[in-house]
Amino acid sequence: MINRLLVANRGEIARRVFATCRAMGVQTVAVYSDADADAPFVAEADLGVRLPGSSPAETYLRVDLILDAARRSGADAVHPGYGFLAENAEFAAAVTDAGLTWVGPPAKVIAAMGDKLAAKALLAEAGVPMLPSWTGTDEVTDFPVLVKASAGGGGRGMRIVRDADELAEAAASASREAAAAFGDGTVFIERYVERGRHVEVQIFGDSHGRVVALGDRECSIQRRHQKIVEEAPAVVPERVRTALHEAAVAAGHAVDYLGAGTVEFLLAPGGEFFFLEMNTRLQVEHPVTELCTGLDLVGLQLLVSEGEPLPASLPESTGHAIEVRLCAEDAAAGWRPATGTLHRFTVGGVATEFGGLAGPGLRLDSGVVAGSVVGVHYDSMLAKVIAWGRTRAEATRLLASALARAELHGVTTNRDLLVRVLRSAAFAAVEIDTGFLDRHPEVFAPLLAADRLPITALAAALAGAAHRRATAQVLGGLPSGWRNVPAVPQVTRFVGPGGDEIEIRYRLDRTGRLADWSSTPTKDAAESAGAPSVVLVEVTSDRVVLDVDGVRRAYRVHPVGSAVFVDGPDGAASLAELPRLPLPTAAVAAGSLLAPLPGVVTRVHVQVGQRVTAGDPLLTLEAMKLEHPVLAPIDGVVAELPVPTGGQVQTGAVLAVVDEKDSR
């Protein structure tokens, strides 16, 4: 019987495991790095143990520190979450050798499935269909292929290669990324299936020899080979579903599987499928299975780890559930990770957190709350938002609406892309595969169209004026925006989401009504469109209601210093109000490429004086365990490379300077 459980992970999954432990009466222990000392998961645990170390990212991977924390806290069991330690056979063995209960499959199973090449060979003997694969770049003759890390997952160390000339560099890059993420740079090469779908089966095994399939999931919509939209059940013919479940259960029996696991398959357009990998852990997307079955998969993990058999009768899947991964990243800028403080984090209409639903509704599994700081040390996922409905269309509509209305202030997220994916005709028609985002560039557009930004900025300007009047120390009774010379407009300047300045000019009459207004056009807005007719209906420091061309629209305004976050019916905007009298700042040389976030320069591809063409790689920046290429924005000559290989940089540091004048 487990009495005190240590979770060897952080963030959302730690909170998720703690929620089940509270329901089962199990005490909880959190381990945390210095960077996570104030994180929500630490506050929610019964006990917490600090993990010392100079690198916040590496502390969670130190087996010795985790075992010492278990000893000091009196834990009698360890749950690895779904981090890298969840698939580390040495860690599982060390936990067991220490006399603790390991919540997961035995070390020998993890070892067998952790080496993907060995796993393919083992499961092929069990009759699980496989794709052809190679270990050497010189063995490959047919393209396209996929380079994959042998020891990892989660999309790290993966590269699609369509040409033989690109294979060696792709394999080297994947190996570096895998080594940084998993400590093992071994890669192999597999045939790449065009228009393939990523479908997986949730399996569970107990110590009494039983292995069952608890439904399937569709996980085809991915970025950088990492899932961002998952749903259950997968939309496949029943004959295919039956065959998938049979293959997954056969894989489980082949290794005497125990606990929660996922067998992942690649589904070809004709219905043929091939084994990808077996993940010997709870998956990020497990909530969609929980909502469709009513099961608590973490509870089942604890049950079978205590030696209990799986329930004799398990529920069938009903309805449809869809999950999206809300990440701190700029999707339109090559999925660049984002950092900062979450000044507001609100998803309206959530019925439950980290648990099941009794009917249609929303579930939120989040690792952050308002005020959380998003740093560079860990994965960019902030939360999972999940909807369950009686049908796929019902769940889709509910989830898209909740995301569109969410207030996410302070950190750039992929929210707009997720909403556009869910509302796309292709998604509704189940025309999805792993190349979905490549074929649908329209989903990268922000929800707030360029021609609606001026109205949004006007709402921000009016709310700012109302706030100043409400907090005025003298003449507080004057209407907001009133001035003694009414012919001269109020002027407020902002920096918009794309970095362009937008100037709002407006006049209020002596009754406080909006007399007229105008704005400077942004580069994406048509100048000829003209300013719409606007009537000011209501204004406070945090809410503005405008009648725009006869349609009433409400805007929620949240200022934080010079930043202004506006949520409206057309989408959200993050604005920065410019000072009326700006202070002088240091000039940055023209053509400078600035670091978008803190990181390490792992490779420099060019030399000073070298001619480059727009799009050429200049250097590679590693942040959040991923490599991010820095490309030349223009044709020119490399004038400066101030950061050497191995150099660490902070946000805004100059990485390179390209001189356009010398491009001839």
Side-chain angles (χ1 to χ4, degrees):
M1 182 73 71
I2 296 173
N3 294 303
R4 182 174 293 175
L5 179 72
L6 182 148
V7 176
N9 213 308
R10 60 177 299 280
E12 164 265 327
I13 184 58
R15 298 183 75 194
R16 164 69 190 91
V17 175
F18 292 163
T20 289
C21 287
R22 285 193 295 271
M24 295 178 64
V26 176
Q27 287 189 312
T28 56
V29 181
V31 290
Y32 61 91
S33 69
D34 289 340
D36 277 339
D38 298 322
F41 78 94
V42 179
E44 292 176 5
D46 294 310
L47 301 170
V49 180
R50 172 183 174 269
L51 299 178
S54 57
S55 172
E58 294 176 358
T59 53
Y60 291 101
L61 304 180
R62 289 275 303 275
V63 173
D64 57 333
L65 297 182
I66 300 294
L67 292 180
D68 181 62
R71 178 188 59 78
R72 290 161 57 193
S73 64
D76 55 8
V78 173
H79 190 301
Y82 45 57
F84 299 140
L85 287 183
E87 295 182 297
N88 185 313
E90 293 180 1
F91 180 52
V95 170
T96 303
D97 291 344
L100 306 173
T101 298
W102 168 251
V103 182
K108 65 177 183 178
V109 175
I110 297 175
M113 295 297 100
D115 184 336
K116 291 181 172 51
L117 286 170
K120 286 168 66 73
L122 175 64
L123 297 186
E125 294 181 4
V128 181
M130 297 288 168
L131 283 167
S133 60
W134 307 269
T135 56
T137 57
D138 56 344
E139 302 171 6
V140 182
T141 56
D142 296 324
F143 290 84
V145 296
L146 184 65
V147 180
K148 301 176 68 174
S150 179
R156 292 177 172 86
M158 295 180 70
R159 302 287 189 277
I160 297 174
V161 182
R162 301 185 181 278
D163 187 273
D165 294 338
E166 303 171 357
L167 183 56
E169 172 55 29
S173 176
S175 178
R176 288 192 302 271
E177 191 169 278
F182 314 118
D184 184 345
T186 304
V187 298
F188 66 99
I189 305 161
E190 205 169 59
R191 178 164 70 85
Y192 181 70
V193 176
E194 299 280 7
R195 305 296 293 264
R197 290 169 58 185
H198 188 133
V199 178
E200 60 190 32
V201 178
Q202 175 72 63
I203 64 168
F204 238 97
D206 62 23
S207 57
H208 302 270
R210 188 178 176 204
V211 178
V212 298
L214 297 179
D216 44 77
R217 301 186 283 254
E218 173 80 53
C219 307
S220 295
I221 297 180
Q222 304 176 0
R223 57 96 165 101
R224 300 186 70 166
H225 310 294
Q226 290 183 313
K227 308 161 190 172
I228 58 172
V229 180
E230 300 115 332
E231 53 184 310
V235 183
V236 297
E238 284 305 311
R239 61 176 179 79
V240 174
R241 191 186 320 279
T242 299
L244 285 166
H245 289 201
E246 289 175 349
V249 170
H253 279 301
V255 293
D256 297 325
Y257 201 81
L258 174 69
T262 304
V263 186
E264 304 193 351
F265 298 96
L266 184 66
L267 181 64
E272 188 179 13
F273 61 85
F274 307 94
F275 174 81
L276 285 176
E277 62 184 5
M278 180 189 287
N279 287 304
T280 53
R281 55 180 167 83
L282 196 68
Q283 291 283 86
V284 177
E285 57 271 22
H286 76 273
V288 293
T289 298
E290 292 187 324
L291 294 188
C292 288
T293 62
L295 294 169
D296 181 336
L297 297 188
V298 175
L300 284 182
Q301 282 187 299
L302 301 184
L303 183 78
V304 299
S305 295
E306 293 175 332
E308 295 294 322
L310 288 166
S313 177
L314 293 166
E316 296 291 327
S317 178
T318 60
H320 203 93
I322 305 177
E323 168 185 304
V324 294
R325 302 190 191 188
L326 189 62
C327 298
E329 61 190 15
D330 189 341
W335 309 103
R336 184 176 66 206
T339 58
T341 300
L342 276 168
H343 301 296
R344 184 170 292 174
F345 185 81
T346 304
V347 181
V350 170
T352 184
E353 295 187 40
F354 307 107
L357 286 171
L362 291 169
R363 166 175 162 176
L364 176 68
D365 286 18
S366 171
V368 297
V369 295
S372 292
V373 176
V374 180
V376 300
H377 305 294
Y378 310 113
D379 186 87
S380 63
M381 190 176 76
L382 302 174
K384 303 178 307 196
V385 189
I386 316 103
W388 185 90
R390 286 177 287 266
T391 65
R392 184 174 187 266
E394 182 181 299
T396 301
R397 181 176 60 188
L398 176 61
L399 183 55
S401 177
L403 287 169
R405 295 170 181 269
E407 297 182 6
L408 311 171
H409 300 169
V411 177
T412 301
T413 73
N414 63 340
R415 178 263 303 276
D416 287 13
L417 174 129
L418 295 172
V419 173
R420 287 202 178 275
V421 168
L422 294 171
R423 289 178 173 172
S424 68
F427 185 84
V430 202
E431 296 173 354
I432 54 179
D433 57 68
T434 56
F436 181 92
L437 296 180
D438 294 331
R439 291 196 315 280
H440 294 281
E442 68 276 6
V443 301
F444 289 84
L447 289 177
L448 183 66
D451 61 355
R452 286 295 176 182
L453 181 58
I455 291 289
T456 304
L458 173 62
L462 293 170
H467 173 73
R468 287 187 286 273
R469 294 315 308 152
T471 57
Q473 299 297 311
V474 295
L475 299 177
L478 289 179
S480 174
W482 185 91
R483 56 194 305 147
N484 197 38
V485 185
V488 179
Q490 297 278 352
V491 179
T492 307
R493 294 184 303 120
F494 299 98
V495 174
D500 297 327
E501 285 192 22
I502 179 170
E503 183 177 274
I504 299 296
R505 294 174 172 267
Y506 67 93
R507 289 191 307 111
L508 301 181
D509 63 21
R510 294 186 181 275
T511 66
R513 295 178 180 175
L514 186 65
D516 59 64
W517 79 285
S518 65
S519 69
T520 57
T522 61
K523 65 179 181 180
D524 296 321
E527 293 190 44
S528 60
S533 172
V534 177
V535 176
L536 177 58
V537 178
E538 174 189 337
V539 59
T540 64
S541 60
D542 59 5
R543 175 179 163 85
V544 177
V545 180
L546 302 174
D547 186 303
V548 183
D549 287 336
V551 178
R552 186 170 291 194
R553 299 172 179 272
Y555 298 85
R556 304 181 302 279
V557 183
H558 177 211
V560 181
S562 62
V564 187
F565 305 99
V566 186
D567 296 281
D570 301 310
S574 174
L575 306 171
E577 185 172 352
L578 295 172
R580 292 178 181 271
L581 301 173
L583 296 173
T585 58
V588 176
S592 295
L593 295 173
L594 307 182
L597 71 168
V600 177
V601 174
T602 56
R603 299 186 73 197
V604 178
H605 305 283
V606 294
Q607 297 177 338
V608 173
Q610 181 175 332
R611 294 186 182 277
V612 294
T613 302
D616 285 351
L618 302 181
L619 51 88
T620 300
L621 184 70
E622 182 183 300
M624 292 187 174
K625 295 291 186 180
L626 294 176
E627 289 188 341
H628 306 278
V630 177
L631 309 178
I634 55 174
D635 296 349
V637 172
V638 178
E640 296 181 33
L641 288 169
V643 185
T645 300
Q648 294 189 345
V649 296
Q650 296 299 317
T651 302
V654 177
L655 298 174
V657 178
V658 178
D659 191 346
E660 184 178 21
K661 293 182 292 185
D662 290 335
S663 62
R664 57 187 182 278

